[in-house]
């Protein structure tokens, strides 16, 4: 069985979520004489053709998975004997179970502490996944974080922000509001996924109050409805702040979504027109997204120096060994994907606000800029998502790469998509080892008791960034959090760009090879 390797010039991105399917995955095998004994009773003989989903997953993973050489089940010899290979494909009836089984010490299998692969994932419907990568999802517009309280199994939510134009926009809900129940049922570690991320499109939040470090119900309720196909603009706030005689461009950017790249470029155009002296990139809620958008924003900060390296992608040994010099490298850019000239500020320093929700493409911007500019990080340590990925579907003629123009070539009987980790991105200094996260220069956690208003000096993280820029004695550093939390989860888990670096430009095969 041939394995085709697409070799490409581009860079990547990754997502972390989990998917399940109610679709039948075990084929109904009709009576046949597959065992050759003439009795027609060959139902127990497995054929590769009976397991197209698992076969597609294995083929793509064998060719492209970053840790392919470390997984015995992905060895090039695994499919040499067809009968044994078919038995292997049949070993897991659920494609999701099969996928995580052939990953390298995936978190779903070995748990968070022992995991090597924390971010590979899949979807039983590639169309849903592709839409979410474009910033389109089912949402009511309430972006929230989740933490523990009470007996440590109780869960509370707090509103981070409300998405403009959503169902929640204009209703009686705002940043800092706390909720502890849905439809009258208290949130716990056992039920919060079903209650908040389940099938209910319309539901009621039950609110609470934080007083004297105690969270208690206050009787307030609010009904919300999730809208199918809702598109969120990742540019939540862009403004120019004047502080201490310094003009500062502030950008709260929540996801690297390519469809908003022109608006992103326009935001830097406004900063350029205002002659800003400094820029604050607020990535505290940004879980990642398109690498092309990351390169664009880095070019807007540093400059359109197309001769200088922004990143170098490292793949598995099979792919890496076939590269020519320069393959897998991406430089700073002079135009957006649509061809607009980049509005560049040519800065020598940038301030970036981060949190434990900052991941992937956000971290890529920080790491990629480090060799060229002084990156001052403010907030808390990031996720440590330094791998990238791409979407694979059952289009064998295109080596399983998803291509919108080739949707008619995707196997109509297999709508699954996988998003495995393909490699890691190094910066120009060759550094990529930040799996434990990028550590801030100025540490401050968000405080549930004092979140403040985003984009305003009442926000402690922004206040600290302004203090650092102006050199003021740090008033904000004296206000240590009263009620900081360690996140259990957040609404971001429903975004396809969460914990992702999505590789761009993998569109052409310039080489192919067998095993």
């Amino acid at each position: 069985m041939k394995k085709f390797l697409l070799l490409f010039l581009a860079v990547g991105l990754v997502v972390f979520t989990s998917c399940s399917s109610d679709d039948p995955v075990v084929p109904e095998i009709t009576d046949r004489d597959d065992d050759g004994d003439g009795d027609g009773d060959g139902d127990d003989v497995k054929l590769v053709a009976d397991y197209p989903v698992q076969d597609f997953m294995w083929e793509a993973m064998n060719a492209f998975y970053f840790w392919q050489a470390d997984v015995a089940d992905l060895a090039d010899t695994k499919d040499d004997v067809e009968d044994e290979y078919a038995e292997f494909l049949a070993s897991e009836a659920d494609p999701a179970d099969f996928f995580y089984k052939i990953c390298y010490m995936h978190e779903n299998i070995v748990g968070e502490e022992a995991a090597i692969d924390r971010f590979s994932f899949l979807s039983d419907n590639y169309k849903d996944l592709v839409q979410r990568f474009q910033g389109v999802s089912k949402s009511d517009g309430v972006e929230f974080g989740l933490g523990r309280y009470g007996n440590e199994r109780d869960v509370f939510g707090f509103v981070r922000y409300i998405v403009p134009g959503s169902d929640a926009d204009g209703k009686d809900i705002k940043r800092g509001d706390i909720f502890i129940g849905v439809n009258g049922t208290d949130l716990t570690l056992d039920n919060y996924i079903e209650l908040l991320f389940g099938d209910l499109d319309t539901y009621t939040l039950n609110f609470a109050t934080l007083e004297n470090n105690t969270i208690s119900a206050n009787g307030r309720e609010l009904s919300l409805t999730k809208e199918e196909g809702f598109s969120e603009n990742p540019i939540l706030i862009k403004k120019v702040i004047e502080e201490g005689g310094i003009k500062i461009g502030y950008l709260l950017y929540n996801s690297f979504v390519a469809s908003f790249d022109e608006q992103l470029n326009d935001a830097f155009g406004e900063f350029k027109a205002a002659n800003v002296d400094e820029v604050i990139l607020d990535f505290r809620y940004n879980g990642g997204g398109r690498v092309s958008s990351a390169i664009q924003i880095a070019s807007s900060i540093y400059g359109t120096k197309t001769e200088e390296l922004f990143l170098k992608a490292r793949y598995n040994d099979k792919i890496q060994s076939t590269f020519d010099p320069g393959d897998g490298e991406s430089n700073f850019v002079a135009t957006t994907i649509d061809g607009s000239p980049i509005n560049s500020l040519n800065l020598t320093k940038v301030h970036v606000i981060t949190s434990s929700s900052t991941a992937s493409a956000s971290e890529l911007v920080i790491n990629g800029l480090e060799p060229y500019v002084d990156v001052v990080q403010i907030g808390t340590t990031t996720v440590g998502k330094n791998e990238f990925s791409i979407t694979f579907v059952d289009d064998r003629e295109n080596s399983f790469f998803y291509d919108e123009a080739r949707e008619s070539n995707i196997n109509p009987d297999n709508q699954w998509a996988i998003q495995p980790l393909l490699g890691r991105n190094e910066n120009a200094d060759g550094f990529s080892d930040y799996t434990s996260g990028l550590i801030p220069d100025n540490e401050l956690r968000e405080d549930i008791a004092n979140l403040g208003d985003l984009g305003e000096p009442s926000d402690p993280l922004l206040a600290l960034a302004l203090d650092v820029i102006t050199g003021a004695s740090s008033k904000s550093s004296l206000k240590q959090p009263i009620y900081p939390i360690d996140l259990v989860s957040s609404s971001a888990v429903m975004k396809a760009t969460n914990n992702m670096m999505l590789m761009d430009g993998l569109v052409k095969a310039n080489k192919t090879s067998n095993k």
Side-chain angles (χ1 to χ4, degrees), residues 123-133 136 228 496:
S123 171
D124 60 8
N125 188 329
Y126 77 86
K127 293 180 180 179
D128 290 344
L129 182 62
V130 170
Q131 270 207 323
R132 289 165 58 200
F133 284 151
V136 178
E228 188 72 59

Side-chain angles (χ1 to χ4, degrees), residues 17-83:
T17 184
S18 60
C19 302
S20 61
S21 173
D22 296 324
D23 295 336
V25 293
V26 181
E28 181 180 349
I29 304 175
T30 57
D31 199 30
R32 59 194 180 204
D33 188 26
D34 293 328
D35 50 7
D37 61 6
D39 63 4
D41 184 17
D43 292 0
D44 58 336
V45 177
K46 307 296 191 299
L47 298 179
V48 172
D50 293 327
Y51 300 91
V53 181
Q54 288 89 333
D55 182 41
F56 137 69
M57 290 177 174
W58 188 88
E59 290 272 2
M61 293 285 280
N62 167 264
F64 298 104
Y65 188 50
F66 186 49
W67 294 284
Q68 181 264 339
D70 299 305
V71 181
D73 282 339
L74 290 177
D76 289 341
T77 57
K78 189 70 176 178
D79 65 338
D80 282 353
V81 180
E82 186 163 349
D83 290 349

Side-chain angles (χ1 to χ4, degrees), residues 156-159 176-180 206-210 215 218 448:
F156 74 94
F158 64 96
V159 178
D177 282 351
I178 296 172
F179 57 90
I180 58 173
N206 309 119
F207 290 93
T209 302
L210 172 63
I215 293 175
N218 61 17
I448 308 307

Side-chain angles (χ1 to χ4, degrees), residues 2-24:
K2 292 184 177 180
K3 320 294 183 301
F4 295 102
L5 306 184
L6 273 186
L7 301 178
F8 24 76
L9 306 173
V11 187
L13 165 172
V14 165
V15 180
F16 173 66
T17 184
S18 60
C19 302
S20 61
S21 173
D22 296 324
D23 295 336

Side-chain angles (χ1 to χ4, degrees), residues 133 167 240 252 410 489:
F133 284 151
D167 178 70
V240 175
L252 177 54
I410 298 173
S489 186

Side-chain angles (χ1 to χ4, degrees), residues 139-408:
S139 174
D140 55 34
V142 179
E143 295 299 322
F144 56 82
L146 297 170
R148 301 183 191 185
Y149 77 109
N151 65 9
E152 292 299 312
R153 295 201 66 78
D154 295 329
V155 170
F156 74 94
F158 64 96
V159 178
R160 288 170 154 179
Y161 65 92
I162 301 298
V163 181
S166 66
D167 178 70
D169 189 20
K171 290 187 175 180
D172 185 20
I173 186 169
K174 64 184 185 306
R175 175 172 168 83
D177 282 351
I178 296 172
F179 57 90
I180 58 173
V182 171
N183 294 333
T185 301
D186 290 342
L187 294 169
T188 69
L189 290 177
D190 301 312
N191 67 16
Y192 79 86
I193 295 177
E194 178 183 359
L195 291 175
L196 290 170
F197 306 122
D199 296 330
L200 290 177
D201 288 343
T202 297
Y203 65 102
T204 297
L205 283 181
N206 309 119
F207 290 93
T209 302
L210 172 63
E211 291 182 354
N212 300 319
N213 284 348
T214 300
I215 293 175
S216 55
N218 61 17
R220 187 164 72 90
E221 297 181 344
L222 180 67
S223 177
L224 295 161
T225 299
K226 298 175 184 177
E227 177 187 344
E228 188 72 59
F230 181 77
S231 178
E232 176 184 347
N233 188 334
I235 305 168
L236 187 63
I237 299 174
K238 54 179 173 62
K239 63 188 300 186
V240 175
I241 302 169
E242 293 199 31
E243 188 83 7
I246 302 173
K247 284 187 176 182
I248 304 161
Y250 172 77
L251 179 69
L252 177 54
Y253 185 63
N254 291 326
S255 184
F256 291 79
V257 180
S259 56
F260 290 92
D261 281 353
E262 292 300 315
Q263 293 185 44
L264 177 63
N265 192 41
D266 290 343
F268 278 93
E270 293 177 24
F271 293 161
K272 189 173 183 177
N275 294 312
V276 298
D277 305 297
E278 304 272 2
V279 165
I280 299 171
L281 299 176
D282 194 338
F283 289 164
R284 74 181 80 179
Y285 303 138
N286 193 319
R290 292 280 173 190
V291 168
S292 56
S293 302
I295 298 174
Q296 176 182 317
I297 202 170
S299 300
S300 290
I301 293 294
Y302 174 58
T304 57
K305 302 170 184 178
T306 57
E307 75 285 357
E308 301 208 39
L309 180 68
F310 178 70
L311 64 85
K312 184 176 181 65
R314 293 291 183 183
Y315 298 86
N316 68 35
D317 290 341
K318 282 201 299 189
I319 296 176
Q320 201 72 41
S321 65
T322 63
F323 272 12
D324 293 327
D327 284 358
E329 295 182 357
S330 292
N331 293 354
F332 291 88
V333 296
T335 65
T336 66
I337 287 181
D338 290 340
S340 300
I342 294 288
N343 289 310
S344 181
L345 303 177
N346 300 299
L347 298 176
T348 58
K349 178 184 287 187
V350 65
H351 296 76
V352 186
I353 296 176
T354 65
S355 74
S356 61
S357 295
T358 305
S360 206
S362 295
E363 294 169 302
L364 180 66
V365 171
I366 297 171
N367 191 51
L369 283 174
E370 282 282 3
Y372 303 102
V373 304
D374 181 10
V375 181
V376 181
Q377 189 178 335
I378 296 158
T380 53
T381 302
T382 63
V383 169
K385 167 65 178 57
N386 56 350
E387 300 98 354
F388 57 83
S389 72
I390 196 170
T391 305
F392 291 109
V393 294
D394 195 354
D395 179 2
R396 292 172 184 266
E397 292 181 358
N398 201 40
S399 295
F400 306 111
F401 286 107
Y402 171 76
D403 182 346
E404 182 180 7
R406 291 182 54 85
E407 287 201 355
S408 61

